[in-house]
Amino acid sequence: MLFGKYVNQFYKKYWYHFVLGIIFLLLVDIIQLFIPQIVGDIVRIFDVSTENELSAFFNKGLFEVGGYLFYIMCFVLIAIGMFIGRSGWRLAINRLGIKIDRDLRMMMFEHAEKMSINFYNNQKTGSLMTLFNNDIEAIKSAFTEGVIFLIDGVVLGGLAIFKLFMVNWFLALLAIMPLSLIAFSGGIVGKMESKRYDAQLNAFEKLSDYTQENFQGIAVIKAFVREIHELKEFAKYNKKNKEASLAYLRFSIILNALIDLLIYSVAIIIMFVGGYLAKGSGINEIFLVQGDFGAGELTEFFGYFDSLIWPMFAFGMLIDIWAKSHASLKKV
């Protein structure tokens, strides 16, 4: 989410969109965490059940807890709940973004109409147009994708971590390592990324300005046969824009690659350590909070860890969105 002089008013003006969007996001985040527990229960039944118990599992009625029809009904209800929740937050959040986009453009245009002639003598058309195009879109994304990533990162990530600790506290500590590193380094990474995004925007502005001026003065350029000279100058601006864009792209790719590396490295560690614990060795007494740790618990743990992967990615993308939108808001 983004805060600043020109956008704080939207939290009050469109509070109902924020509330509805967050409620539906919370609904989806909470409902989907029932899936690992149900899958773990099914695995536990098949893992430890005798032939008679398996027979009872398949013969239980629709509403009897532990029967296969009961679990089918649970999955159907979860699917319906997630469909309603996702449809709800998409409608609320996207409408919010469209309204903020409209209001910002109107505010900027009204302000631009009041500016003096001297202001326009010192400002280039290309630079002003990038405010209405690139920068407004970047600010808008902070109120759409930014809200989604923030809620998913905090709520879904927090609930998933809680569930992980409930299953096995030792494996849970291994699972949250990437999230901790991302959270602690987020501020530093955001500033570094913001500088590169600023450089990219400035290079694009200069390229847009030069293009605009050439189109406006095309008659003079042709009259004095200066096409080749203008092409060479355009190539210089185009090259600088390319270099700035590549610098930002390289940084973004490396950042996402490091996040991927952290997440999947921990997944491999959990696979080996969890598999060892599931064998029922004596080490279980040290690393388990209570009860046994078998295939069902390992399956349930991986389900929660899988739910934690998206919030980890969301935090990384949230840093990227915040860096872009913050830089754009300063320009606006």
Side-chain angles (χ1 to χ4, degrees), residues 47-157:
D47 185 43
V48 302
S49 290
T50 63
E51 184 176 345
N52 291 335
E53 289 171 327
L54 286 175
S55 177
F57 170 74
F58 286 106
N59 293 330
K60 284 185 177 181
L62 181 62
F63 297 106
E64 290 185 74
V65 178
Y68 81 102
L69 289 178
F70 168 79
Y71 290 116
I72 291 176
M73 180 61 69
C74 288
F75 281 121
V76 170
L77 292 175
I78 289 172
I80 294 173
M82 292 185 68
F83 171 77
I84 294 173
R86 284 178 175 169
S87 299
W89 71 249
R90 284 171 180 166
L91 181 62
I93 297 297
N94 287 328
R95 283 175 65 87
L96 169 68
I98 291 171
K99 289 182 178 181
I100 291 176
D101 179 274
R102 176 201 62 193
D103 289 357
L104 269 177
R105 290 182 190 279
M106 183 59 68
M107 290 166 59
M108 287 176 61
F109 190 79
E110 287 178 357
H111 185 72
E113 290 287 293
K114 299 174 183 178
M115 301 301 290
S116 64
I117 296 296
N118 185 54
F119 170 79
Y120 289 102
N121 289 334
N122 297 323
Q123 296 291 329
K124 296 182 179 180
T125 305
S127 297
L128 295 175
M129 289 304 299
T130 57
L131 294 174
F132 283 89
N133 296 322
N134 298 12
D135 293 302
I136 289 292
E137 284 297 319
I139 295 172
K140 174 185 172 183
S141 67
F143 291 95
T144 52
E145 291 97 335
V147 172
I148 296 167
F149 296 158
L150 178 62
I151 298 300
D152 280 349
V154 174
V155 177
L156 181 59

Side-chain angles (χ1 to χ4, degrees), residues 92-306:
I93 297 297
N94 287 328
R95 283 175 65 87
L96 169 68
I98 291 171
K99 289 182 178 181
I100 291 176
D101 179 274
R102 176 201 62 193
D103 289 357
L104 269 177
R105 290 182 190 279
M106 183 59 68
M107 290 166 59
M108 287 176 61
F109 190 79
E110 287 178 357
H111 185 72
E113 290 287 293
K114 299 174 183 178
M115 301 301 290
S116 64
I117 296 296
N118 185 54
F119 170 79
Y120 289 102
N121 289 334
N122 297 323
Q123 296 291 329
K124 296 182 179 180
T125 305
S127 297
L128 295 175
M129 289 304 299
T130 57
L131 294 174
F132 283 89
N133 296 322
N134 298 12
D135 293 302
I136 289 292
E137 284 297 319
I139 295 172
K140 174 185 172 183
S141 67
F143 291 95
T144 52
E145 291 97 335
V147 172
I148 296 167
F149 296 158
L150 178 62
I151 298 300
D152 280 349
V154 174
V155 177
L156 181 59
L159 290 175
I161 290 173
F162 174 76
K163 291 287 189 178
L164 289 173
F165 274 98
M166 292 295 292
V167 177
N168 185 283
W169 68 267
F170 177 68
L171 288 179
L173 289 176
L174 297 179
I176 65 174
M177 287 172 58
L179 184 60
S180 301
L181 290 173
I182 294 171
F184 284 126
S185 61
I188 299 174
V189 172
K191 290 181 180 179
M192 295 171 63
E193 193 165 17
S194 182
K195 290 181 180 179
R196 286 165 175 79
Y197 185 68
D198 250 339
Q200 181 190 15
L201 287 179
N202 291 332
F204 182 75
E205 281 181 13
K206 292 178 180 179
L207 179 64
S208 298
D209 289 338
Y210 191 81
T211 305
Q212 182 83 20
E213 291 173 355
N214 266 261
F215 286 149
Q216 289 177 344
I218 192 66
V220 177
I221 293 173
K222 287 184 173 293
F224 288 91
V225 195
R226 291 180 57 85
E227 291 92 342
I228 296 177
H229 175 268
E230 297 300 323
L231 281 172
K232 291 180 179 179
E233 289 297 312
F234 180 83
K236 293 178 182 178
Y237 285 107
N238 201 23
K239 182 180 179 181
K240 291 179 180 179
N241 180 63
K242 180 201 73 173
E243 291 173 348
S245 299
L246 286 176
Y248 173 75
L249 181 63
R250 280 193 295 265
F251 186 85
S252 181
I253 290 174
I254 293 173
L255 174 64
N256 290 326
L258 289 174
I259 294 174
D260 292 348
L261 179 63
L262 286 171
I263 291 172
Y264 292 113
S265 296
V266 172
I268 293 172
I269 294 172
I270 291 174
M271 184 182 298
F272 282 101
V273 177
Y276 184 72
L277 293 175
K279 291 180 179 180
S281 59
I283 198 173
N284 288 16
E285 298 178 0
I286 301 175
F287 292 132
L288 297 183
V289 177
Q290 60 182 5
D292 297 324
F293 189 86
E297 286 73 22
L298 183 58
T299 302
E300 184 177 350
F301 189 91
F302 260 104
Y304 293 134
F305 180 74
D306 185 62

